[in-house]
Amino acid sequence: MLIYNTTFHVEEAQLQAFLCFVKDEYFPAVTTGGYMTRPRLVRLLGDVGDGLLGYAVMADCAGEAADIKKWRKETGDALLATLQQRFGTKVLSFSTAMKLVAGD
């Protein structure tokens, strides 16, 4: 099982708009193409900086790393561009593909 994680640093003033974006646009886009399932939003508990809040979206990928690359090319890059256009530097992100080693 692979997990695709995108971590976000969100300016506090942008929080409500960001949460709406994730629920209304990001979640549906994550499952586009059928490569990934079960997107979920988590709040980071560690300090990410003054006036910033940390969030992450995680999704499962039962396929191969190539499937995540396909999703990024087909959907993810445009989604990132939309995020940047809408929020500029008020929401910053980075993504990581991970392989589950132990657990569920």
Side-chain angles (χ1 to χ4, degrees):
M1 171 70 64
L2 301 177
I3 300 167
Y4 188 70
N5 180 83
T6 301
T7 299
F8 301 92
H9 292 178
V10 182
E11 286 187 10
E12 289 181 37
Q14 298 298 313
L15 181 59
Q16 289 309 312
F18 168 76
L19 292 176
C20 287
F21 173 78
V22 168
K23 293 174 188 173
D24 297 339
E25 297 180 51
Y26 200 93
F27 274 12
V30 165
T31 58
T32 297
Y35 300 113
M36 291 186 279
T37 60
R38 224 169 58 96
R40 54 229 182 258
L41 178 67
V42 298
R43 171 81 159 80
L44 304 181
L45 299 178
D47 183 25
V48 296
D50 290 337
L52 296 174
L53 302 169
Y55 284 85
V57 172
M58 297 181 295
D60 297 337
C61 176
E64 303 294 324
D67 292 330
I68 292 174
K69 288 181 182 179
K70 287 178 194 173
W71 177 84
R72 285 194 69 162
K73 183 177 180 180
E74 294 170 7
T75 305
D77 290 344
L79 186 60
L80 177 59
T82 299
L83 177 79
Q84 290 174 337
Q85 182 180 36
R86 182 143 329 140
F87 296 100
T89 59
K90 296 173 192 270
V91 175
L92 302 176
S93 67
F94 64 93
S95 298
T96 308
M98 302 174 281
K99 182 175 180 78
L100 183 63
V101 177
D104 298 37

